[in-house]
Amino acid sequence: MSTTEEKVLVRVEGRLGRITLNRPRAINALDHDMVTALRTALTAWADDDAVVAVLIDGAGERGLCAGGDIRAISASAREGDRAAAAFWRDEYLLNAQISRYPKPYVAFMDGVVMGGGVGVSAHGSVRIVTERSVVGMPETTIGFVPDVGGTYLLSRAPRESGTHLALTAGSADAGDAIALGLADHFVPADRLSDLAVALTEVVSAADVADAVGRFAETAPAPTLPGLRWVDACYTADTAEEIVARLRDHGDPAAATAAATILAKSPTSVKTTLAALRRARGLPDLETVLEQEYRVSFATLSSPDLVEGIRAQVIDKDRNPKWVPDTLEGVTDEDVARHFLPAPDGPLGLADLFDDGGTR
């Protein structure tokens, strides 16, 4: 196995702090050591006057980051230990640190940007997508629930487009990612290396905006926010009613969305909907991350998390056996237990961060 130093390349070029996720064979999936390395680098640079801005990108041609190391999460759930919970705790602290970072935090969201990849990019201040970007939260496919601040971002997307993306475990291209509030700028992939060089030459935060502006182009037109059937169907109060509306709407795309939702973990779908609706009423990312930690911790005792990862990643038979296997079989109590306090207590975000650096 690679060392931590090899899995995360940390260096300073000019006045730019550079972080490269370096597990290209795994599409740079995050493990606990990598999260720790990112937090350490960001903390050191927050008060370092020699560093004006930070850039994060991913090694290889496939993407920035495919998410967390879900094989390790599955193993933790099967063995009943605290490794997954410890990973999520530090990962969510990292997400909050990025959102509060006192210097420009530039993310190259090129290629695959899923789950944890969204967490290390979409909370930054300068988020760049390309024609190759595929951005999403695929958690309901593996018996999990959007985390890393995903329910914060998707609950604040235009109208019900975020709900659609979350329940179907769908993805957004560059145009949709910008329209949904997951990204800011479009830069063609073949210009990223030149933009990175330009960023090494910055001497102030204002220079970052100027550099990005020289390379940014008009993004492709978005499609998701303009789909009228999305708003018409996803405003329903329950997952069952959402599916019924999608089936009855008449648009073939809506019927496809209904079938997609019904193939996901029913418990994950109903818990995700509840998490999104609750997140809309919460004041900030930190509060939502506290909620997500409770939900994530609760999934460790759900059979669907292990089964979903088995079906999608380990055995790859794409034939999960969900328990329960219908939306109607998931009770209000089943959903409510995900929002109970985690046994090891809250993240305590309000006490941990001050101006982007760890106290």
Side-chain angles (χ1 to χ4, degrees):
M1 180 177 290
S2 300
T3 65
T4 301
E5 289 76 17
E6 291 172 331
K7 289 186 289 186
V8 180
L9 306 180
V10 177
R11 68 274 193 205
V12 176
E13 297 177 356
R15 300 191 68 182
L16 178 70
R18 293 206 61 177
I19 298 172
T20 298
L21 306 180
N22 191 36
R23 296 181 69 196
R25 293 181 61 184
I27 319 182
N28 304 312
L30 294 171
D31 64 20
H32 202 160
D33 288 340
M34 295 168 72
V35 167
T36 300
L38 265 64
R39 290 191 65 201
T40 299
L42 292 178
T43 299
W45 290 336
D47 297 319
D48 185 347
D49 292 338
V51 174
V52 169
V54 173
L55 168 63
I56 186 169
D57 61 6
E61 298 295 322
R62 300 168 68 189
L64 170 65
C65 176
D69 188 342
I70 58 176
R71 286 178 180 267
I73 292 170
S74 175
S76 179
R78 291 195 311 270
E79 295 167 12
D81 62 29
R82 295 295 181 92
F87 167 70
W88 286 325
R89 178 175 286 273
D90 282 340
E91 185 181 27
Y92 302 169
L93 294 177
L94 171 65
N95 303 146
Q97 185 177 14
I98 290 169
S99 76
R100 292 184 175 217
Y101 208 62
K103 299 176 180 182
Y105 180 97
V106 184
F108 283 179
M109 301 171 70
D110 185 34
V112 174
V113 185
M114 294 286 171
V118 173
V120 299
S121 58
H123 299 303
S125 54
V126 185
R127 306 165 300 175
I128 295 169
V129 285
T130 76
E131 72 280 4
R132 304 189 301 197
S133 295
V134 181
V135 184
M137 302 298 296
E139 285 77 9
T140 58
T141 301
I142 59 167
F144 193 45
V145 176
D147 66 336
V148 298
T151 61
Y152 175 85
L153 295 165
L154 295 179
S155 69
R156 286 154 173 79
R159 299 180 295 278
E160 294 293 331
S161 53
T163 309
H164 169 67
L165 207 69
L167 298 191
T168 61
S171 59
D173 62 12
D176 277 330
I178 292 173
L180 293 174
L182 303 175
D184 306 300
H185 308 281
F186 174 80
V187 175
D190 62 5
R191 303 197 73 192
L192 290 180
S193 59
D194 290 337
L195 173 55
V197 171
L199 290 171
T200 66
E201 299 169 352
V202 300
V203 295
S204 70
D207 292 339
V208 173
D210 292 340
V212 173
R214 294 200 303 272
F215 290 88
E217 299 182 6
T218 301
T223 57
L224 271 178
L227 296 177
R228 293 186 176 181
W229 58 263
V230 169
D231 292 338
C233 298
Y234 286 93
T235 50
D237 291 334
T238 67
E240 292 93 332
E241 179 60 24
I242 287 173
V243 169
R245 290 187 186 184
L246 289 168
R247 283 174 158 173
D248 295 341
H249 186 274
D251 191 306
T256 297
T260 299
I261 291 171
L262 290 174
K264 308 305 179 185
S265 159
T267 300
S268 293
V269 167
K270 296 187 82 166
T271 304
T272 295
L273 181 61
L276 288 168
R277 298 283 165 84
R278 290 179 181 224
R280 282 180 180 169
L282 297 177
D284 50 38
L285 173 63
E286 288 81 5
T287 310
V288 175
L289 285 167
E290 293 283 5
Q291 172 176 277
E292 289 182 350
Y293 184 66
R294 297 194 296 271
V295 173
S296 296
F297 201 108
T299 64
L300 290 173
S301 58
S302 168
D304 282 4
L305 178 60
V306 171
E307 173 63 6
I309 295 173
R310 179 206 64 78
Q312 296 297 324
V313 178
I314 298 174
D315 296 339
K316 299 182 180 179
D317 59 26
R318 309 292 193 268
N319 186 32
K321 306 299 182 185
W322 306 123
V323 180
D325 60 359
T326 65
L327 291 172
E328 292 75 13
V330 181
T331 67
D332 291 344
E333 291 73 21
D334 293 333
V335 174
R337 78 170 186 86
H338 290 79
F339 298 91
L340 297 175
D344 63 348
L347 299 174
L349 287 167
D351 298 325
L352 286 174
F353 291 100
D354 181 18
D355 296 329
T358 304
R359 286 181 179 171

